[in-house]
């Protein structure tokens, strides 16, 4: 399988803290890859580096063969990378439907001029974005929440809206930062099958998650980070048997 | 969308109603201050977009207003008679860029057509806003407020200290702006009513354009930036680019308003560019509900009219300062919440 993402020697430190230290890995197209590690291991920092939120001190990131280190997040998004946030990051003051419609930003093109004059392109974009967003909400089973203010929803629902928004981007690679945090057992199980369905629809998934049963169940490959360094990488079975991993993480 | 059309009908009814009422009461001189208030309200509408939707504050919009007013004032009062025979002047005249008129004393004056003045005003303000915005809007936070504050002070000082701009006296004898034969923006008594309707129509068109914009993909992107900048970037919105374009648009609207009011008033003075004027605009936007075009317009019309009629006496500036403080203390989202999405 070809690598949709190729990371080489990626490093980032904050003051004295080396949050990510010389990390190299591939994410294979069409797979679900999980990133695990204890709190503060640097998982979110790694995601922020990939999506352009922060710039690496050194190292390279090839996304679909294109070097993206140092590009702004919207440029990286336009190449087909989407993400959700560990700290839920919805657009407050906007409805669920509008949040997801914004996810279609890159698939519509109305500008200031055509928007002001309400030209046909603007109306077409609105209709398209609305239908498409509605379809995604239905797919995730939350269409009845479409006209609720997104940030007023229950925690688990907000996570689903974030996922819907990211899916609206029709990404090639989807980064999920702890999507099961705060979900109950039933919701987590549903999330697991949703993520598999996303993978089967052709979207590569890279997921940070603390819920081990979920990770073991859905992942094609797992990578373990500890104190900013990669300490193991392999299939779920290999990771479960890896002694160092058991020592620093699973065993505690 | 439906609802906005009802708003527009109400607006039209109100415009005509106010005209008939002032006429019936024998107070049609109110129309002059109402017309001026409409032009000031255009600045407010542009700022609603910038503050309420893109989440950026400008303390320099009086500066853009003044750039607009002074550009057209200078161009439409400059006397090119001495250079009449120069080829370039003849060329400009043959292209219709120049207009011949007589001043109060019957002397012939050849100056730029107000159309040229108004277009120059708008382009110049757009370019200046772009140059200010490019470095500043790449940064997160309220750097725009600081940069525009500095810009506003510079404009004020330049206007006060430059002979071309009439220093403390400003520029007077600015001719009317003939949009097309029979339709002019000027301060003459017999066109007072027409000017009231012209100004209200321009504001209505502006409202319509901005409302369309807000309800479009662009408006959603702007509200998204306001809602969460990181998430907006992550879905592919060029946040710096959008903020820059809104800033330029709002500056262009302010300059357009400044140019039109200058033709209506027949002149402009340095007071229009003062920082206190900029603070006024910000106070009105805050009081009108930040992200509400209708709220901003209503607040602006009322406060500007009262101010122009002199109801606030020598406390004029203090009233707007107090409004701003009260809003920030008690209702940072604004008082008028109705029609928030409009
Ligand atoms: N913006 C920042 N400034 C300073 N230090 C930071 C910043 N972001 C992260 N860190 C530090 O970098 C280290 C890695 O943090 P990070 O959030 O990436 O960990 P994580 O693996 O996502 O943890 P968790 O499982 O708790 O989410 C931590 O020591 C953290 O304090
Ligand atoms: Mg994290």
């Amino acid at each position: 399988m070809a690598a949709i993402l190729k990371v080489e020697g990626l490093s980032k430190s904050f003051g004295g803290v080396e949050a990510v230290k010389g990390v190299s890995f591939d994410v294979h197209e069409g797979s679900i890859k999980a990133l695990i590690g204890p709190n503060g291991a640097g998982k979110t920092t790694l995601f922020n580096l990939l999506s352009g939120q922060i710039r690496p001190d050194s190292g390279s990131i090839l996304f679909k063969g294109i070097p993206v280190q140092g590009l702004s997040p919207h440029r990286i998004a336009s190449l087909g990378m989407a993400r959700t946030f560990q700290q839920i990051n919805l657009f407050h003051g906007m409805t669920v439907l509008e949040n997801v419609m914004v996810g279609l930003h890159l698939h519509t093109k109305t500008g200031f001029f055509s928007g002001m004059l309400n030209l046909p392109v603007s109306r077409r974009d609105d209709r398209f974005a609305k239908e498409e967003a509605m379809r995604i909400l239905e797919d995730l089973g939350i269409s009845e929440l479409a006209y609720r203010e997104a940030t007023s929803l229950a925690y688990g629902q907000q996570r689903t809206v974030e996922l819907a928004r990211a899916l609206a981007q029709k990404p090639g690679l989807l980064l999920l930062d702890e999507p099961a945090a705060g979900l109950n057992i039933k919701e987590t199980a549903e999330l697991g099958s949703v993520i598999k369905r996303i993978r089967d629809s052709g979207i590569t998934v890279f997921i940070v998650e603390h819920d081990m049963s979920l990770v073991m169940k859905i992942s094609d490959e797992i990578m373990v980070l500890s104190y900013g360094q990669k300490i193991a990488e392999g299939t779920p079975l290999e990771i479960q048997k890896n002694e160092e991993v058991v020592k620093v993480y699973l065993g505690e | 969308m439906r609802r906005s059309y009802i708003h527009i009908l109400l607006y039209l009814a109100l415009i005509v109603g106010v005209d008939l009422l002032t006429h019936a009461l024998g107070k049609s001189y109110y129309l002059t201050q109402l017309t001026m208030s409409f032009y000031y309200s255009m600045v407010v509408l542009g700022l609603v977009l910038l503050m309420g939707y893109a989440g950026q504050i400008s303390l320099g919009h009086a500066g853009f207003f003044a750039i607009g007013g002074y550009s057209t004032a200078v161009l439409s009062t400059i006397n090119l008679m001495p250079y009449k025979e120069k080829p370039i002047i003849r060329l400009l005249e043959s292209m219709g860029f120049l207009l011949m008129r007589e001043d109060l004393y019957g002397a012939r004056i050849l100056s730029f057509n107000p159309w040229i003045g108004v277009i120059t005003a708008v382009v110049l303000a757009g370019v200046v806003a772009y140059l200010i915005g490019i470095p500043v809007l790449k940064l997160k936070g309220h750097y725009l407020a600081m940069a525009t504050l500095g810009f506003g002070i510079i404009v004020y000082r330049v206007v006060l200290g430059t002979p071309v701009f009439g220093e403390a006296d400003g520029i007077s004898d600015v001719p009317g702006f003939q949009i097309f034969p029979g339709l002019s923006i000027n301060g003459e008594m017999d066109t007072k009513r027409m000017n009231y309707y012209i100004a209200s129509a321009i504001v209505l068109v502006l409202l319509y354009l901005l409302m369309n914009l807000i309800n479009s993909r662009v408006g959603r992107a702007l509200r998204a930036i306001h809602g969460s900048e990181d998430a907006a970037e992550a879905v592919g919105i060029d946040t710096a680019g959008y903020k820059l374009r809104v800033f330029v648009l709002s500056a262009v609207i302010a300059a357009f308003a400044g140019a039109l009011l200058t033709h209506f008033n027949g002149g402009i003075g340095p007071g229009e560019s003062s920082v206190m004027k900029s603070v006024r605009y910000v106070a009105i936007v805050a009081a009108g509900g930040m992200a509400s075009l209708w709220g901003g317009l209503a607040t602006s019309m009322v406060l500007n009219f009262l101010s122009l009629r002199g109801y606030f006496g020598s406390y004029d500036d203090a009233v707007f300062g107090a409004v701003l403080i009260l809003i920030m203390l008690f209702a940072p989202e604004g008082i008028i919440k109705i029609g928030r999405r409009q």
Side-chain angles (χ1 to χ4, degrees):
Chain A
M1 257 187 300
I4 189 168
L5 189 70
K6 266 184 116 55
V7 174
E8 287 294 338
L10 201 62
S11 295
K12 174 75 194 180
S13 42
F14 298 104
V17 185
E18 288 181 285
V20 174
K21 252 188 278 183
V23 172
S24 305
F25 65 94
D26 288 355
V27 176
H28 300 289
E29 195 156 0
S31 70
I32 296 176
K33 181 159 188 156
L35 172 60
I36 62 172
N39 288 67
K43 305 180 296 293
T44 297
T45 305
L46 180 60
F47 267 24
N48 287 341
L49 290 168
L50 298 179
S51 67
Q53 212 97 348
I54 54 179
R55 283 160 192 263
D57 296 334
S58 59
S60 71
I61 306 166
L62 282 184
F63 177 51
K64 296 182 180 168
I66 304 162
V68 296
Q69 69 278 4
L71 292 188
S72 57
H74 73 266
R75 290 277 299 118
I76 296 176
S78 73
L79 295 170
M81 196 189 299
R83 69 168 297 175
T84 63
F85 295 84
Q86 182 173 359
Q87 301 289 326
I88 294 179
N89 213 337
L90 291 170
F91 304 124
H92 70 77
M94 298 177 82
T95 64
V96 168
L97 183 66
E98 286 171 329
N99 265 272
V100 182
M101 285 168 81
V102 174
L104 288 146
H105 185 80
L106 292 168
H107 300 281
T108 43
K109 52 183 179 295
T110 302
F112 274 71
F113 184 75
S114 41
M116 276 199 270
L117 293 175
N118 197 18
L119 295 182
V121 58
S122 181
R123 275 172 279 163
R124 213 163 37 232
D125 277 349
D126 284 351
R127 209 173 329 117
F128 166 75
K130 196 167 175 176
E131 284 169 8
E132 192 65 13
M134 216 49 185
R135 196 186 56 73
I136 293 166
L137 290 176
E138 267 159 28
D139 211 41
L140 293 175
I142 52 166
S143 57
E144 76 281 359
L145 302 175
Y147 295 96
R148 297 268 301 277
E149 181 154 342
T151 48
S152 73
L153 299 178
Y155 196 79
Q157 292 171 329
Q158 292 199 30
R159 286 226 173 270
T160 313
V161 177
E162 263 215 349
L163 182 61
R165 184 179 68 194
L167 288 175
Q169 292 174 249
K170 308 182 200 304
L173 175 65
L174 175 60
L175 310 180
L176 302 173
D177 197 348
E178 301 201 20
L183 301 193
N184 60 34
I185 294 174
K186 183 167 157 282
E187 287 170 332
T188 305
E190 280 167 13
L191 178 69
S193 55
V194 168
I195 293 174
K196 278 187 175 167
R197 251 171 53 216
I198 291 170
R199 189 253 334 257
D200 295 341
S201 76
I203 297 172
T204 308
V205 179
F206 192 21
I207 173 176
V208 167
E209 188 45 66
H210 278 300
D211 187 316
M212 277 312 125
S213 63
L214 175 66
V215 167
M216 294 301 162
K217 204 153 54 197
I218 64 172
S219 309
D220 298 307
E221 207 182 8
I222 298 174
M223 171 174 129
V224 188
L225 216 55
S226 174
Y227 292 106
Q229 282 178 307
K230 183 170 100 173
I231 58 165
E233 193 174 20
T235 63
L237 222 62
E238 285 165 356
I239 293 300
Q240 274 168 320
K241 284 191 291 200
N242 185 306
E243 277 175 25
E244 199 176 352
V245 176
V246 173
K247 203 165 67 203
V248 307
Y249 191 59
L250 297 177
E252 63 187 13
Chain B
M1 267 337 247
R2 257 292 124 70
R3 235 175 50 167
S4 20
Y5 290 124
I6 295 170
H7 276 124
I8 288 171
L9 283 178
L10 284 174
Y11 176 90
L12 288 173
L14 197 63
I15 296 304
V16 176
V18 167
D19 173 34
L20 296 178
L21 191 69
T22 52
H23 206 64
L25 295 173
K27 303 215 167 185
S28 51
Y29 49 86
Y30 279 2
L31 294 187
T32 302
Q33 286 86 35
L34 285 168
T35 305
M36 293 170 74
S37 300
F38 275 122
Y39 290 127
Y40 287 128
S41 299
M42 292 172 67
V43 185
V44 169
L45 292 176
L47 271 182
V48 166
L49 206 64
L50 181 68
M51 289 169 59
Y53 288 87
Q56 296 291 312
I57 292 175
S58 165
L59 289 171
H61 264 51
F64 292 115
F65 185 91
I67 285 183
Y70 275 98
S71 298
T72 197
V74 167
L75 290 175
S76 60
T77 57
I78 193 172
N79 192 357
L80 297 171
M81 275 313 267
Y83 318 101
K84 197 174 172 345
E85 297 311 320
K86 292 250 160 84
I88 174 78
I89 300 298
R90 294 171 89 164
L91 177 71
L92 288 173
E93 196 173 8
S94 69
M95 289 165 73
F97 285 11
L98 303 179
L99 269 189
M100 183 78 79
R101 66 191 165 95
E102 287 186 355
D103 72 5
L104 294 169
Y105 313 102
R108 297 213 304 161
I109 296 179
L110 183 66
S111 356
F112 283 92
N113 187 323
W115 267 108
I116 301 298
V118 173
I119 291 168
T120 306
V122 163
V123 171
L124 190 60
V127 170
V128 171
Y130 187 75
L131 294 178
I132 294 175
I134 274 197
V136 171
L137 289 170
K138 285 211 181 95
L139 309 169
K140 280 188 197 173
H142 286 297
Y143 294 98
L144 187 69
M146 286 185 251
T148 48
L149 179 63
F151 157 76
I153 293 170
I154 291 170
V155 172
Y156 183 59
R157 285 290 148 193
V158 165
V159 160
L160 262 185
T162 312
V164 200
F165 300 129
E167 297 173 333
D169 296 332
I171 298 176
S172 52
D173 296 328
V174 175
F177 170 28
Q178 189 181 73
I179 302 169
F180 46 79
L183 201 67
S184 291
I185 293 178
N186 59 42
E188 278 156 38
M189 281 309 284
D190 52 345
T191 59
K192 183 181 300 207
R193 227 167 163 180
M194 178 171 83
N195 265 279
Y196 166 79
Y197 280 105
I198 292 175
S200 63
I202 291 172
V203 167
L204 181 62
V205 169
L206 182 64
L207 259 174
Y208 172 77
L209 295 177
L210 295 185
M211 229 143 56
N212 281 342
L213 187 68
I214 285 166
N215 288 315
S216 75
R217 166 181 182 262
V218 175
R220 282 191 297 276
L222 291 174
R223 287 163 52 205
I225 293 172
H226 200 16
S228 165
E229 199 159 338
D230 284 341
E233 272 280 332
V235 299
I237 296 169
D238 175 5
T239 55
Y242 267 88
K243 284 189 223 163
L244 181 63
R245 275 170 271 178
V246 175
F247 177 56
V248 170
L249 178 64
S250 71
V252 160
I253 294 170
F256 186 47
L260 297 183
L261 182 61
T262 298
H263 284 294
F264 177 68
N265 281 343
I268 183 169
E272 290 299 351
S273 67
S274 74
V275 169
M276 194 52 220
K277 276 273 182 177
S278 292
V279 172
R280 270 177 186 234
Y281 294 127
V282 169
I284 291 171
V285 173
M290 286 298 233
S292 163
L293 289 170
W294 289 108
L297 176 62
T299 313
S300 169
M301 287 306 290
V302 170
L303 287 181
N304 272 307
F305 178 75
L306 294 178
S307 166
L308 288 165
R309 291 294 312 163
Y311 281 103
F312 303 141
S314 51
Y315 296 111
D316 205 41
D317 282 343
V319 167
F320 287 89
V323 165
L324 191 56
I325 292 171
L326 290 175
I327 295 297
M328 290 305 137
L329 282 180
F330 299 113
E333 297 250 352
I335 309 171
I336 302 176
K337 285 237 181 149
I338 47 159
R340 260 202 66 149
R341 303 240 175 284
Q342 305 297 317

